[in-house]
Amino acid sequence: IEQSALNLFIRDGSFEKHVFKMGKMYEKKRNVLIESLKAGFDGSITIFGENAGLHLVAKINKSGVRIDNDGYLRTDGIVIPSVERHAVYKGKYEDHLVFGYGNLDTGQIRTGVKRLVRELT
């Protein structure tokens, strides 16, 4: 039954419409995140990998970024992994944070970035 339903979903164009719709939704979330980070950190941020996936990396150039021993920034109820957590050579990426936005709405993104900016600047 599931395979027949999936076959119909693909053949009648619903799958293509769904992929297009989701792409637009994630693009909007990504743009809100990027705009919020750039505005909040007033040009003292560099963003990498924004055109791939549902994550991006942001290097905060002047901030009080403090990564814990597990490789996370934990502040004001916000938990953000650092690139350092995944790096083979440690000590180079503590100010590079990995932002995932797929499961957040635009309001949550804006609020979270405001809280982060308040804590780090």
Side-chain angles (χ1 to χ4, degrees):
I1 293 175
E2 290 90 1
Q3 289 179 344
S4 293
L6 180 59
N7 182 32
L8 180 60
F9 186 64
I10 292 170
R11 284 191 317 149
D12 76 359
S14 295
F15 178 70
E16 187 175 350
K17 289 177 189 174
H18 173 73
V19 169
F20 181 78
K21 177 182 171 185
M22 297 307 291
K24 288 295 182 189
M25 182 182 74
Y26 290 126
E27 178 182 26
K28 181 178 180 181
K29 290 180 182 189
R30 180 189 67 230
N31 290 341
V32 166
L33 176 58
I34 291 169
E35 290 165 9
S36 297
L37 287 169
K38 285 183 176 180
F41 287 101
D42 194 30
S44 63
I45 192 165
T46 306
I47 296 174
F48 305 92
E50 68 272 19
N51 293 320
L54 299 176
H55 293 79
L56 58 83
V57 171
K59 178 181 186 272
I60 302 173
N61 300 318
K62 59 174 185 177
S63 71
V65 175
R66 299 289 178 260
I67 304 302
D68 67 18
N69 291 335
D70 294 326
Y72 289 95
L73 168 71
R74 298 175 198 268
T75 183
D76 193 22
I78 301 168
V79 179
I80 305 171
S82 70
V83 171
E84 186 77 11
R85 177 172 169 70
H86 306 286
V88 173
Y89 301 107
K90 304 296 184 190
K92 295 175 67 174
Y93 302 103
E94 291 177 345
D95 56 354
H96 288 66
L97 302 175
V98 180
F99 289 84
Y101 53 87
N103 65 335
L104 303 171
D105 64 41
T106 56
Q108 291 171 312
I109 293 169
R110 286 185 184 102
T111 299
V113 171
K114 284 179 187 174
R115 288 170 51 197
L116 182 65
V117 168
R118 186 174 58 240
E119 291 294 317
L120 297 182
T121 58

